[in-house]
Amino acid sequence: MNQEHKKLERMFMFSEIAACLSFTEAAKVLGISKGYLSAQLKQLEQELKTPLLVRTTRSVRLTRAGEQLFNDFKNIRHSLVDIERNLASEQQNIEGMIRITAPRQFSESLLMDCCFNFQSQYPQVTFFVDSSYTLYDLSENDFDLAIRATENPPDNMIANKLHSYDYAIVAASQYLKQHGTPQSIDELNQHHCLVSEHQTCWQFSDHSEVDLVSHIAINDNFILRAMALKGQGIAKFPRYFVHSLIEQGELIELFADKAKQGQSIYILQPQLLYPSARVDAFVKYLRSELVG
């Protein structure tokens, strides 16, 4: 590979000589000595096993092989310019795919609306969203952004805090009509509580806690939310996950003044020297919509 690299470098030197038809002028353009340039051309002719220039004390002209190489190399240089322009467009234009990994709850509750609204402003942008709880390493996986709930964002990532969230204790009105509304936190252990896997108690902002009575534990908040909506028990969720249902009256919030603070939501991105314009624009948009 190194030999091919050096050969390409010598072809660039040759093309400059061919364009100037002067070793002296070509050496000035390239910022190298005339002697070094002459030696590199000689090496190139030996590698290609053909003379490229006819040199006299007064002039330089191309051989037929030199003319052919000069013309062919013009196409290579044009291709390199196109590559550079395409890469510049990739960095500067708000277009192309943004790949995001985010928890399912956050994706459904907040992220997808943001993606839709951003795409309506920038129709050339597309999204791929991995909606899961897999903690991908952005240094090794092909994601532009990750959404994480954490208080300790990784040091090797650019971390922008979006917001913190608290929890909401909720139940459907039909459950409360049938079983009564608990008047104190201690009364929760007299009710059917819908809990996630390994959850044995709920904690509150005043540092109180209550042991839970539940006949079923599920590792999916979407199923728990559906059960709560059906009036099958009292549940605890991140507020953003049930905010719209509370506002619409489909779920009733209990003990709102004792809501416990949850974690912070961060948007993470790899530390790149030249991040793309589309990713930067989307991060700014998310922060404008969700920071709080």
Side-chain angles (χ1 to χ4, degrees):
M1 180 61 72
N2 188 51
Q3 291 180 347
E4 291 301 313
H5 166 76
K6 295 300 290 184
K7 183 186 291 186
L8 185 61
E9 187 178 89
R10 283 189 276 269
M11 286 184 179
F12 268 104
M13 294 179 186
F14 161 75
S15 69
E16 206 58 59
I17 300 170
C20 298
L21 290 179
S22 166
F23 276 81
T24 301
E25 293 301 318
K28 288 180 182 178
V29 171
L30 294 169
I32 58 178
S33 70
K34 182 179 174 181
Y36 179 75
L37 179 60
S38 180
Q40 291 301 300
L41 178 69
K42 184 177 181 180
Q43 178 67 29
L44 180 62
E45 289 177 324
Q46 290 174 352
E47 291 171 343
L48 299 177
K49 297 182 174 59
T50 184
L52 300 172
L53 298 171
V54 176
R55 286 159 282 187
T56 68
T57 55
R58 295 189 176 184
S59 67
V60 175
R61 62 182 177 86
L62 300 174
T63 64
R64 291 188 63 180
E67 289 178 356
Q68 182 66 50
L69 177 59
F70 183 43
N71 290 330
D72 290 344
F73 205 73
K74 284 180 183 177
N75 295 330
I76 293 174
R77 296 188 75 153
H78 290 157
S79 297
L80 291 173
V81 169
D82 287 341
I83 290 171
E84 189 172 349
R85 285 174 178 166
N86 290 338
L87 289 174
S89 175
E90 163 75 13
Q91 295 303 106
Q92 297 169 9
N93 295 341
I94 302 178
E95 60 183 26
M97 180 176 286
I98 299 175
R99 296 174 58 85
I100 307 170
T101 176
R104 187 181 172 204
Q105 284 180 196
F106 185 88
S107 298
E108 190 243 29
S109 304
L110 299 171
L111 179 61
M112 298 317 299
D113 283 345
C114 288
C115 290
F116 179 82
N117 293 333
F118 185 82
Q119 202 274 335
S120 67
Q121 294 181 38
Y122 301 101
Q124 300 305 311
V125 171
T126 59
F127 289 93
F128 170 79
V129 178
D130 173 83
S131 180
S132 73
Y133 295 93
T134 303
L135 298 179
Y136 292 102
D137 184 343
L138 270 64
S139 301
E140 298 180 0
N141 292 271
D142 189 23
F143 287 105
D144 299 299
L145 302 170
I147 307 294
R148 300 270 171 81
T150 180
E151 294 304 327
N152 298 293
D155 294 334
N156 64 338
M157 293 285 129
I158 297 171
N160 284 292
K161 183 177 177 179
L162 295 178
H163 61 80
S164 297
Y165 65 88
D166 59 5
Y167 288 96
I169 307 291
V170 295
S173 59
Q174 63 262 41
Y175 175 87
L176 299 176
K177 287 177 182 177
Q178 183 177 354
H179 300 279
T181 301
Q183 299 302 307
S184 69
I185 289 172
D186 291 338
E187 290 183 24
L188 284 171
N189 60 20
Q190 302 171 25
H191 286 264
H192 182 54
C193 295
L194 304 171
V195 303
S196 58
E197 189 179 19
H198 307 309
Q199 212 170 41
T200 59
C201 69
W202 286 342
Q203 297 176 332
F204 296 85
S205 61
D206 61 0
H207 304 295
S208 61
E209 61 181 48
V210 60
D211 293 330
L212 301 175
V213 176
S214 180
H215 304 296
I216 185 169
I218 301 174
N219 66 347
D220 189 321
N221 272 353
F222 285 86
I223 297 176
L224 290 176
R225 187 176 64 178
M227 293 175 68
L229 286 166
K230 291 178 181 178
Q232 295 176 353
I234 300 175
K236 177 183 178 182
F237 300 109
R239 184 177 301 280
Y240 68 81
F241 188 54
V242 290
H243 174 72
S244 61
L245 297 173
I246 294 171
E247 286 204 330
Q248 294 162 16
E250 295 186 55
L251 291 173
I252 309 299
E253 184 173 4
L254 308 173
F255 312 114
D257 61 328
K258 297 183 185 298
K260 182 175 175 57
Q261 188 71 26
Q263 292 182 302
S264 298
I265 302 291
Y266 282 86
I267 184 165
L268 308 178
Q269 59 189 119
Q271 297 189 45
L272 303 176
L273 289 176
Y274 305 106
S276 69
R278 65 177 179 273
V279 173
D280 271 357
F282 185 64
V283 169
K284 289 176 182 176
Y285 175 78
L286 278 183
R287 299 195 72 204
S288 70
E289 291 292 310
L290 302 180
V291 166

